[in-house]
Amino acid sequence: MPIGPIRLTDRASSALRPATAARVTGGFWAERRRTNAEVSIPQGPARLESAGNLANLRAAAVGKGTFTGDFPFQDSDVHKWLEAASWQLADAPGDTELAAQVAELTGLLAAAQQADGYLQTYYQLAHPEKRWQELGWGHELYCAGHLIQAAVAHHRATGRRELLDVAERFAVLVDSVFGADKEIDGVCGHPEVETALVELYRETGERRWLELAGYFVDRRGHGLLDADVNPHLGKAYWQDHTPVRAATSVTGHAVRQLYLLAAVTDLAAETGDGELRATAERLWDAMVSSKTYLTGGLGARHEGEAFGEPYELPPDRAYAETCAAIASIQWSWRMALLTGEAKYSDLVERTLYNGFLAGVGLDGDSWLYVNPLQVREEYEGAFEPDKTARRTPWFRCACCPPNVMRLLASLPHYLASGTTGDAAGLQLHQYATGVYEAGGGRVRVETAYPWQGRIAVTIEEAPADADWTLSLRIPAWCTDFTASAPDGAAPAETHPGWLRLRRRWSPGDTLTLDLELDTRLTRPDPYVDAVRGCVAIERGPLVHCLEAVDQPPGVRFEDLTLPDDARLAAHHDPGLLGGVTVVTADGRSRGGEDVVPLTAVPYYAWANRRPGAMRVWIPRE
Amino acid sequence: MPIGPIRLTDRASSALRPATAARVTGGFWAERRRTNAEVSIPQGPARLESAGNLANLRAAAVGKGTFTGDFPFQDSDVHKWLEAASWQLADAPGDTELAAQVAELTGLLAAAQQADGYLQTYYQLAHPEKRWQELGWGHELYCAGHLIQAAVAHHRATGRRELLDVAERFAVLVDSVFGADKEIDGVCGHPEVETALVELYRETGERRWLELAGYFVDRRGHGLLDADVNPHLGKAYWQDHTPVRAATSVTGHAVRQLYLLAAVTDLAAETGDGELRATAERLWDAMVSSKTYLTGGLGARHEGEAFGEPYELPPDRAYAETCAAIASIQWSWRMALLTGEAKYSDLVERTLYNGFLAGVGLDGDSWLYVNPLQVREEYEGAFEPDKTARRTPWFRCACCPPNVMRLLASLPHYLASGTTGDAAGLQLHQYATGVYEAGGGRVRVETAYPWQGRIAVTIEEAPADADWTLSLRIPAWCTDFTASAPDGAAPAETHPGWLRLRRRWSPGDTLTLDLELDTRLTRPDPYVDAVRGCVAIERGPLVHCLEAVDQPPGVRFEDLTLPDDARLAAHHDPGLLGGVTVVTADGRSRGGEDVVPLTAVPYYAWANRRPGAMRVWIPRE
């Protein structure tokens, strides 16, 4: 059984199944995951302590004390950290220190939980009389969802039931209260419990959780939140503007929209509901065609943390919340499993390497809540203490850091999938050195991706007596590649986005794929007004950016231009920003004739040196 | 004595004095003011009735009832309507129906006022225990300010004291409570009372009001609002981020910033405080150089209704609140009087004809709160019920409509000024057919501006025995003009932005100015990223825009382009949009070779037909 999220049931109609085992053992992501394991996760409890989250749990356990924090969903930071730590424990079961921290926080949650299963310290401490009374803003089911996800991760990773018991008790309470013919016919202002309930169904086999998830998904968009809706933000903020099956566009609060669509996809997979599947496919296409940043970032507006209008994609005011990038990866991965189509993993890749990874500093200890594609020289940052273009040790609203931790900790499970039956095989969606087991076989991958384009896959195990299909995704950005198979044949792209080789494999067989990692200048979609007249530098899956600190002195950053026939070059600099491939380009300064040598670093690594201007989209003139 | 706002005292250090009399008798603004007088203002009371504002006053008068409305500053809509109606009464003293409405609302305010002078129905009805306890968000002093401005207008226009008595009672209470050594050392979250108090000083001669205004201006930026400040918005929202004398940039909530700076300018004028004057000059220059839209609109962000970063000027998400345009005009006119420099009236003109006037529909009965420079074909408008790109009959937060009414009603007083002494004379800042008396003389202006460039000025009265200077502003957009004087001489621009003719004048003498009204393509500032690669069409003071309804069928609006060497032509269409000069241009459709004839109407007239796409900035390719 796979130790990762999205453990599809046998009944799921998905085209692909998640890998039964996945381990990243070296290379780019191993390094980022090492920092996650050694810095980010270990210091989580201290951050939660100083932000008051743990004090809230202790106070709730004794039934008195004041609530600390600005938001009712404060507990969810604890839940997300526990999920991250649990996935990490699956990787390193011998980490007794981490296991002790997990046990301690689990104990705090169990102690804080009320006799009837309720658990949310904000309402327990500050407003016990308002339990279930403020569904729009209260986040009670949202917190329940994160608790369930943490509990499922903990159970999968350790086999222990302590946290799962807590989560199930809460879920039983929720199920007893919410329903068309129960005490409350209502939904939560922030989707999240829906996808969590599907996962709880997967973990426990209890169909009631799947049905409850379906109820929450389909009761949304019927005005049940009207009493709570702040007219200033509008119903779309709460994803209550339309029944999701009728939606034609992703809109409103980005993370709410994406968590909801993850649940829609989960339900489509587990119930075979074709209308839900069509909904998810339609909305994903709409999102990618007109509401997605080059970095994979989502959410064009600070106000309402929202998707904007189609083609409203300002680089400077990009919200592109780190959590939205994570939610997008979670949703797209579900879509990849459901449909088997490579385009979903193309977006996962773009988001992972750019819009997501920028959210955490190279030190693993400094964060960005919003991920703009441009910061001007004159940056004032007068507003939004949490939402600046400067890395911050923690946030007042600390949703993003533990969200990053849980994604990095579970990342290996987003990289490969398998199929059984007639088309048995293993699919590599993303390239990271490691070992992946799926579809009845196991492969070892070695690669220096994303710096180099070679991916060497060695068969460790495959059916001895049957053909078996090895599939490697050909990224959409890649216009040229070569591949060499064991028998010297060069397999070609056999399905859009997939290089497939079906044959009898023996352990030790290798398939080597060489993706041409051209450095390229990307022109924007002409309908994206905000970056008209600009180009962006990309190399492989990486979006690059200019940071002021790397540019020649004596030239005003805001005057730099890059003609779209500029000469480009790339070189790897192991000493820079933890080791990055740098792109240099023959730029200009507005009004000047001389070449100005520009240096572009990967976007994910920006804002790790002294604060300064940055831009992904560079004016052509 | 001038019957208009900003009645400078004799002690004011201002270079210019407002006109002692000003009347618009025909032409463009007469038409807009007629609609204001016949439609907008008369229906104000009914709007205030149905929005609950008047019910609040009646309830407060009897001391019981529930407060209706979403905002604590609901009363200020009444105050602003009363100000508008008062200026209107100055124009039409025989309008007994309007006078009766004014008397009725004045009576409601007087009845609602508490014995100690307090008057704000939100706190009276909903939270009497919180009086003065929520200065950040309560708007009590803001409402007091609008009450004072209304009372001053009423007193100037009618000579009656009923409303002035109400306002003075409230002001006395405020003065007894607020001060460095009084019950509360504090400021209001929304500046407004400061400029109103200076005007009360001007009206009553009581220096205490000037001093109280100075206190409120200088206590801001010292953290007095900390307890109330919503960290999500930051201190700049409340203009409490810095003492204003130390500010280097306009920032935060645009209307709050601009009302504050109007007061700074008022104080600089009345006290001769050079540091305040330098502050106002510095911040005005910073605003115009990097934070002002082509339309004069101000405020780049919906979130926090804020000025953005320097050069952050998205056309689609422009907030450019109608109230901010009004505040800008009010501030810039004070700067024009203080300094005598033409650039301030240049901005007044740009704002009046574009960013301001777009805020009210041609019918005088439909409004825009925000004034974007672009609406796409795919416009969804999912958010912000009040803040859409569609005209609305009234708003939940109805600050803009009565603000438009008061500016249009007092508009003649923003057009001309005078000087006395050695440099005695009259200055025409804006061109509207009418009669203007200032600086010891009186002139009659006839013009078809902004459709035609000829301005004919006839002397009706001038000193018989001394030289007298007639000054006409040469707009910054004008690159060519001719002028003919009584003796056949052609006066030239003698001071930046001013055509000045000093001589002995006789009644009947004329000075004719012909401004070349070229239709022109304007390229954006290269630092404004959001409109790179575009051009805008302007003609005289008017910014034009493409509306989808005027473009040829069969071409996608989002594909229209306008090369910057395109042929342009203009013709007047008396039947279109109340009579406008239309600009036609040889455009293209992206990817096509054929000429696509484009039609551009003045921006102020947009959104008066069926909803559709619009853009001011048109892609060059």
Side-chain angles (χ1 to χ4, degrees):
Chain A
M1 295 282 276
I3 297 182
I6 319 170
R7 189 187 277 178
L8 294 166
T9 67
D10 293 342
R11 285 181 297 283
S13 62
S14 300
L16 313 179
R17 290 289 180 279
T20 43
R23 208 147 41 86
V24 173
T25 57
F28 184 86
W29 287 109
E31 194 55 33
R32 303 314 311 148
R33 296 184 73 244
R34 192 182 59 75
T35 305
N36 191 50
E38 295 180 1
V39 180
S40 308
I41 291 177
Q43 73 175 10
R47 294 285 187 201
L48 296 168
E49 188 68 79
S50 54
N53 303 57
L54 304 188
N56 288 337
L57 292 173
R58 285 188 211 102
V62 297
K64 67 175 181 201
T66 53
F67 176 80
T68 304
D70 296 312
F71 303 100
F73 49 83
Q74 204 85 352
D75 295 351
S76 62
D77 302 340
V78 179
H79 306 331
K80 278 192 282 188
W81 181 85
L82 273 170
E83 185 185 342
S86 296
W87 298 131
Q88 178 56 29
L89 278 179
D91 246 38
D95 187 338
T96 52
E97 198 171 331
L98 183 60
Q101 284 182 316
V102 168
E104 186 192 337
L105 266 62
T106 298
L108 286 179
L109 287 173
Q113 185 169 41
Q114 295 189 310
D116 65 356
Y118 187 86
L119 176 50
Q120 177 150 317
T121 62
Y122 172 75
Y123 285 104
Q124 290 173 244
L125 295 170
H127 290 291
E129 80 288 1
K130 291 189 182 167
R131 183 202 276 201
W132 309 132
Q133 299 306 305
E134 306 175 313
L135 293 179
W137 188 238
H139 286 78
E140 289 156 293
L141 299 175
Y142 167 87
C143 286
H146 278 301
L147 174 62
I148 290 167
Q149 288 181 337
V152 167
H154 188 242
H155 188 244
R156 277 183 203 160
T158 65
R160 303 181 67 103
R161 288 200 52 94
E162 294 94 329
L163 196 54
L164 191 60
D165 287 342
V166 173
E168 280 194 302
R169 276 197 295 271
F170 199 1
V172 167
L173 174 68
V174 169
D175 195 25
S176 75
V177 170
F178 286 88
D181 48 6
K182 296 182 188 163
E183 185 187 331
I184 302 175
D185 184 20
V187 298
C188 182
H190 198 316
E192 158 64 20
V193 74
E194 299 83 355
T195 187
L197 284 167
V198 177
E199 203 75 344
L200 187 59
Y201 156 70
R202 291 171 179 151
E203 194 65 11
T204 64
E206 286 194 57
R207 207 170 161 79
R208 66 193 292 197
W209 308 131
L210 186 66
E211 285 161 7
L212 187 57
Y215 161 79
F216 283 133
V217 163
D218 275 324
R219 287 303 284 150
R220 193 170 284 281
H222 294 282
L224 297 182
L225 290 169
D226 274 1
D228 273 7
V229 162
N230 174 342
H232 181 59
L233 289 171
K235 291 183 172 197
Y237 179 83
W238 282 268
Q239 295 299 319
D240 199 34
H241 56 295
T242 181
V244 69
R245 291 170 192 266
T248 56
S249 171
V250 292
T251 190
H253 189 280
V255 176
R256 282 170 163 84
Q257 172 77 83
L258 294 163
Y259 281 178
L260 175 62
L261 291 170
V264 165
T265 308
D266 281 332
L267 283 162
E270 296 294 351
T271 67
D273 186 323
E275 190 181 32
L276 284 182
R277 176 177 168 143
T279 295
E281 290 179 330
R282 179 175 72 246
L283 295 180
W284 193 92
D285 286 344
M287 175 176 88
V288 170
S289 69
S290 68
K291 297 193 176 184
T292 305
Y293 282 98
L294 188 68
T295 55
L298 297 167
R301 296 186 183 173
H302 279 239
E303 183 160 64
E305 309 191 299
F307 283 109
E309 297 282 328
Y311 303 106
E312 177 196 331
L313 292 166
D316 49 352
R317 291 296 286 170
Y319 198 69
E321 183 183 340
T322 303
C323 284
I326 293 164
S328 167
I329 291 167
Q330 292 174 333
W331 178 32
S332 294
W333 176 237
R334 284 163 169 81
M335 293 299 291
L337 293 175
L338 179 64
T339 66
E341 288 186 42
K343 65 179 181 180
Y344 298 107
S345 292
D346 279 332
L347 183 64
V348 169
E349 177 178 71
R350 180 170 290 281
T351 311
L352 267 180
Y353 282 98
N354 303 288
F356 158 71
L357 193 55
V360 54
L362 295 176
D363 57 8
D365 190 22
S366 58
W367 310 88
L368 287 175
Y369 194 113
V370 300
N371 295 279
L373 282 74
Q374 177 187 7
V375 179
R376 292 187 185 80
E377 235 172 5
E378 300 85 351
Y379 183 68
E380 293 173 349
F383 272 89
E384 309 146 322
D386 269 10
K387 319 288 176 67
T388 69
R390 309 281 183 243
R391 294 195 183 275
T392 306
W394 201 249
F395 304 114
R396 215 168 43 87
C397 171
C399 52
C400 299
N403 220 352
V404 170
M405 294 176 208
R406 69 178 182 141
L407 184 65
L408 282 174
S410 59
L411 186 69
H413 302 279
Y414 289 81
L415 310 184
S417 64
T419 40
T420 52
D422 288 349
L426 184 147
Q427 303 83 38
L428 289 172
H429 296 254
Q430 312 295 340
Y431 300 117
T433 295
V435 180
Y436 307 92
E437 185 180 293
R442 189 171 70 241
V443 301
R444 195 173 72 244
V445 174
E446 279 171 63
T447 181
Y449 199 79
W451 310 125
Q452 295 172 29
R454 166 159 295 192
I455 295 117
V457 184
T458 306
I459 302 294
E460 292 199 337
E461 206 177 296
D465 52 356
D467 280 359
W468 194 72
T469 308
L470 187 57
S471 304
L472 277 64
R473 186 177 58 87
I474 304 299
W477 56 259
C478 181
T479 53
D480 199 15
F481 67 90
T482 56
S484 60
D487 52 7
E493 203 166 349
T494 55
H495 186 83
W498 288 110
L499 177 79
R500 287 204 170 139
L501 189 54
R502 180 165 183 76
R503 51 168 282 163
R504 197 68 55 99
W505 297 88
S506 304
D509 283 350
T510 61
L511 174 61
T512 303
L513 172 65
D514 281 287
L515 301 169
E516 191 62 64
L517 275 189
D518 270 348
T519 301
R520 59 196 190 275
L521 288 180
T522 304
R523 280 217 185 200
D525 184 321
Y527 298 128
V528 179
D529 299 277
V531 293
R532 178 169 287 114
C534 293
V535 286
I537 298 170
E538 295 188 277
R539 183 173 181 275
L542 295 171
V543 174
H544 283 243
C545 68
L546 301 183
E547 282 200 281
V549 65
D550 294 314
Q551 313 316 319
V555 180
R556 189 168 172 217
F557 186 82
E558 301 301 332
D559 278 328
L560 296 176
T561 62
L562 186 59
D564 59 1
D565 59 354
R567 207 176 42 169
L568 304 174
H571 68 275
H572 198 73
D573 185 343
L576 183 66
L577 295 164
V580 294
T581 295
V582 165
V583 176
T584 54
D586 286 352
R588 292 282 190 288
S589 172
R590 199 170 283 128
E593 288 303 312
D594 297 341
V595 165
V596 177
L598 303 180
T599 301
V601 297
Y603 171 77
Y604 79 78
W606 86 281
N608 280 289
R609 292 170 292 175
R610 66 175 161 79
M614 180 276 289
R615 53 165 77 231
V616 167
W617 291 104
I618 309 159
R620 297 205 314 269
E621 57 180 57
Chain B
M1 296 282 274
I3 298 183
I6 320 169
R7 189 187 277 176
L8 294 165
T9 67
D10 294 343
R11 283 180 299 283
S13 61
S14 300
L16 313 179
R17 289 291 180 279
T20 44
R23 209 148 41 86
V24 172
T25 58
F28 184 87
W29 288 108
E31 194 55 33
R32 304 314 311 149
R33 296 184 74 244
R34 191 183 60 75
T35 304
N36 191 50
E38 295 180 2
V39 180
S40 309
I41 292 177
Q43 73 176 10
R47 294 286 188 202
L48 296 168
E49 188 67 80
S50 54
N53 303 56
L54 304 188
N56 288 338
L57 292 172
R58 285 188 211 102
V62 297
K64 66 175 183 198
T66 52
F67 176 81
T68 303
D70 296 310
F71 302 100
F73 50 84
Q74 203 86 352
D75 295 353
S76 62
D77 302 340
V78 179
H79 306 330
K80 279 192 279 190
W81 181 86
L82 274 169
E83 185 185 342
S86 296
W87 298 130
Q88 178 57 26
L89 277 179
D91 245 39
D95 186 339
T96 52
E97 198 170 331
L98 183 61
Q101 284 181 317
V102 167
E104 187 192 333
L105 267 62
T106 298
L108 286 178
L109 287 173
Q113 185 168 40
Q114 295 190 310
D116 65 357
Y118 187 86
L119 177 51
Q120 177 149 317
T121 62
Y122 173 75
Y123 285 104
Q124 291 173 244
L125 295 170
H127 290 291
E129 79 287 1
K130 292 191 182 166
R131 185 203 275 201
W132 309 133
Q133 299 305 305
E134 305 176 313
L135 293 179
W137 187 239
H139 286 78
E140 289 156 293
L141 298 175
Y142 168 87
C143 286
H146 277 302
L147 174 64
I148 290 167
Q149 288 181 337
V152 166
H154 188 243
H155 188 243
R156 277 184 201 158
T158 66
R160 302 180 67 103
R161 289 200 51 96
E162 293 93 329
L163 196 55
L164 191 59
D165 287 343
V166 173
E168 280 193 303
R169 275 196 296 269
F170 199 1
V172 167
L173 174 67
V174 169
D175 195 24
S176 74
V177 170
F178 286 87
D181 49 5
K182 295 182 190 165
E183 185 186 332
I184 301 174
D185 184 19
V187 299
C188 182
H190 198 315
E192 158 64 19
V193 73
E194 299 81 355
T195 185
L197 285 167
V198 176
E199 203 74 344
L200 186 60
Y201 156 70
R202 288 169 179 152
E203 194 64 10
T204 63
E206 286 193 58
R207 205 169 163 82
R208 63 192 293 197
W209 309 129
L210 187 66
E211 285 161 6
L212 187 56
Y215 161 78
F216 283 133
V217 163
D218 275 322
R219 287 304 284 149
R220 192 171 284 280
H222 294 282
L224 297 182
L225 290 169
D226 273 2
D228 273 7
V229 163
N230 173 343
H232 179 59
L233 289 170
K235 291 183 173 196
Y237 179 83
W238 281 269
Q239 296 298 318
D240 200 33
H241 55 296
T242 180
V244 70
R245 292 170 192 265
T248 55
S249 171
V250 292
T251 191
H253 189 280
V255 176
R256 284 170 162 84
Q257 173 76 83
L258 293 163
Y259 282 177
L260 175 63
L261 291 170
V264 165
T265 308
D266 281 333
L267 284 162
E270 296 294 350
T271 67
D273 186 323
E275 191 181 32
L276 284 182
R277 176 178 169 145
T279 295
E281 291 180 330
R282 177 175 74 245
L283 294 180
W284 193 92
D285 287 344
M287 176 176 88
V288 170
S289 69
S290 68
K291 296 194 178 184
T292 305
Y293 281 99
L294 188 69
T295 56
L298 296 168
R301 296 185 183 173
H302 280 238
E303 181 159 67
E305 310 190 299
F307 284 107
E309 297 282 328
Y311 303 107
E312 177 195 331
L313 292 166
D316 50 352
R317 290 296 288 170
Y319 198 70
E321 184 183 341
T322 303
C323 283
I326 292 164
S328 167
I329 291 167
Q330 293 174 332
W331 177 33
S332 293
W333 177 237
R334 284 163 169 80
M335 292 300 290
L337 293 174
L338 179 64
T339 65
E341 287 184 43
K343 66 180 180 180
Y344 298 107
S345 293
D346 279 332
L347 183 64
V348 169
E349 178 178 70
R350 179 169 290 279
T351 311
L352 266 180
Y353 283 98
N354 303 290
F356 159 71
L357 193 56
V360 54
L362 294 176
D363 57 7
D365 190 22
S366 58
W367 309 89
L368 288 174
Y369 195 115
V370 301
N371 296 279
L373 282 72
Q374 177 186 7
V375 179
R376 292 188 184 80
E377 237 171 5
E378 299 86 351
Y379 182 69
E380 294 173 348
F383 272 89
E384 309 145 322
D386 270 10
K387 318 289 177 65
T388 69
R390 308 282 183 243
R391 294 194 183 277
T392 306
W394 201 249
F395 304 114
R396 216 167 42 89
C397 171
C399 51
C400 299
N403 219 353
V404 170
M405 295 177 206
R406 69 178 182 142
L407 184 65
L408 282 173
S410 60
L411 186 69
H413 302 279
Y414 289 81
L415 310 183
S417 64
T419 39
T420 52
D422 288 349
L426 183 147
Q427 302 85 37
L428 289 172
H429 297 253
Q430 311 296 339
Y431 300 116
T433 295
V435 180
Y436 306 92
E437 187 180 293
R442 190 173 70 242
V443 302
R444 194 174 72 245
V445 173
E446 279 171 63
T447 182
Y449 199 79
W451 312 124
Q452 294 171 30
R454 167 158 295 191
I455 295 117
V457 184
T458 306
I459 302 294
E460 292 198 338
E461 207 178 295
D465 51 357
D467 281 359
W468 193 74
T469 307
L470 188 56
S471 303
L472 278 65
R473 185 177 59 89
I474 305 298
W477 55 259
C478 181
T479 52
D480 199 15
F481 66 89
T482 57
S484 60
D487 52 7
E493 203 167 350
T494 55
H495 187 83
W498 288 110
L499 178 79
R500 286 206 171 137
L501 188 55
R502 179 164 183 78
R503 50 167 286 161
R504 197 67 57 99
W505 297 88
S506 305
D509 283 351
T510 61
L511 174 61
T512 303
L513 172 64
D514 282 288
L515 301 169
E516 191 65 63
L517 275 190
D518 271 349
T519 302
R520 59 195 190 277
L521 288 180
T522 303
R523 280 218 187 198
D525 184 322
Y527 299 128
V528 179
D529 299 277
V531 294
R532 176 169 289 114
C534 293
V535 286
I537 297 171
E538 295 188 279
R539 183 174 182 274
L542 295 171
V543 174
H544 283 244
C545 67
L546 301 183
E547 282 200 281
V549 65
D550 295 315
Q551 312 317 319
V555 181
R556 189 168 171 218
F557 187 82
E558 301 301 333
D559 277 327
L560 297 176
T561 61
L562 187 59
D564 58 0
D565 59 353
R567 207 176 43 171
L568 304 174
H571 69 275
H572 198 73
D573 185 342
L576 184 67
L577 295 165
V580 294
T581 295
V582 165
V583 175
T584 54
D586 287 353
R588 292 282 191 288
S589 172
R590 199 171 282 127
E593 287 303 311
D594 297 341
V595 164
V596 178
L598 303 180
T599 301
V601 297
Y603 172 77
Y604 78 79
W606 85 282
N608 280 289
R609 292 170 291 174
R610 65 174 161 79
M614 180 276 290
R615 54 165 77 232
V616 167
W617 291 104
I618 308 160
R620 297 205 314 268
E621 58 179 56

